[in-house]
Amino acid sequence: MKTPTIVKNLAHVSLMAVSAFWVAVATAEASQTEQTRAWTQQYFERLSAADASVSDFWADDIVLFVNNHGPWGGHYGSKASVTQYYRDMASMFDLEKGLTFELLQTVVEGNHSSIRFRVQGQHKSGAYDNHYMQVYTWNEDGKLSRIENFYGWGPFAEFHRQALAKDQARQETPGQARPGTPGQARPGTPRQARPGTPRQAP
Amino acid sequence: MRMKGVLLWAMVLAPSAALADDGKSHEQLTAETRALMERYFEVHQANDFTIEEFIKFYHDDLKATYYRPTGIFTFTSAQQYYDTYKPERLTTFDFDYKPWTVSLLMLVDGENAVTRYVAHARTKDGEYHNHYIHMYKVRDGKIVEFHAITNPDSGAHYLRNRKFLTDLGLYKGQDQP
């Protein structure tokens, strides 16, 4: 029996409508991903230029998670506390000698993105060369609602090791001993939290 | 009529037709990488994976880099990585207790992927909780590059670096909640 043309046409149209729907869904997801990719790129450009306007990308209710148990680790639950965190971080570097950011890898999917980058510069405790990975969650307005900051602790551990060695050497040299116990953190080193650093529970 | 149908189908399918150099679209590469990462994660969650199960995920040119408080460690072959990683797991964890993972975020973008998660397990010394971020590059369906940063306190503690961290004043004697 021959299928009537109208049935054939209806079948074609139905199939196309279903395909078009799923293609539209996939296209919307791809479009969101590409939008997130563009935001991420713009954000990194400002971050790497140490441009204070980087905070324009932060939502008012942004949460920053810094992944370590050091004094800077934990959750920062407001735009003001995130700003203070970055100010504190910047204060540990000699910015006049330059701070270079090298973007090494980007992964973007939907409203999330993640970047891996290397930072080189002059930390107040010595030459600095470290690797970072950050995960970003973007809201629909193109603002960051969450930043997760992971970085290697090797350089900081090395600074502390050098500081310990210097303390030990001073103690062993008559007349050079400094007050305090060996290995005690000095103000300004990342080991000692600054009073008033605003941090909130998640 | 037939030509009109072909044109309509071409219009519908066009958005997903951009191809990468190897002839696969970005969407295809993303789907393949996601499948690989999901299998990889499953195997790593198990305690009793074999060298064969472990190595099959890695490219011959593997470069695996760990950023630890004691420095940067790079493994340049799957065998070398396995030979270090497996004994470390075996001497650290109590495998009667199945490790579990929460807050898993997996992002896949072509042949790039990232996983961020919190792992809970039991070591021979006590509870273990650690934050991880791993970033991968995939080539020819296998992991060719892998970068890992873990929580430097609790992870390093259980990886026998406790004394080092204590000396540095970085260990506070409590685990990540």
Side-chain angles (χ1 to χ4, degrees), chain B residues 96-145:
Chain B
D96 292 334
Y97 179 83
K98 186 173 167 52
W100 53 285
T101 294
V102 293
S103 304
L104 172 65
L105 175 74
M106 183 184 290
L107 306 178
V108 184
D109 185 2
E111 291 184 302
N112 294 283
V114 63
T115 53
R116 181 269 283 135
Y117 58 97
V118 184
H120 300 280
R122 187 180 295 153
T123 68
K124 289 167 183 170
D125 298 333
E127 294 294 311
Y128 173 91
H129 310 282
N130 202 356
H131 284 76
Y132 292 85
I133 186 165
H134 294 169
M135 207 174 263
Y136 310 86
K137 278 188 185 174
V138 170
R139 197 201 308 153
D140 307 326
K142 293 191 173 191
I143 295 165
V144 69
E145 211 176 299

Side-chain angles (χ1 to χ4, degrees), chain A residues 55-63 78-79 139 143-145:
Chain A
S55 61
D56 292 348
F57 281 94
W58 301 339
D60 290 337
D61 58 351
I62 186 173
V63 172
S78 70
K79 196 167 177 175
N139 70 18
K143 305 277 186 188
L144 282 163
S145 58

Side-chain angles (χ1 to χ4, degrees), chain A residues 67-89:
Chain A
N67 178 61
N68 64 63
H69 278 238
W72 308 106
H75 287 82
Y76 298 75
S78 70
K79 196 167 177 175
S81 63
V82 174
T83 303
Q84 188 61 48
Y85 168 82
Y86 277 99
R87 275 192 193 135
D88 290 344
M89 291 298 109

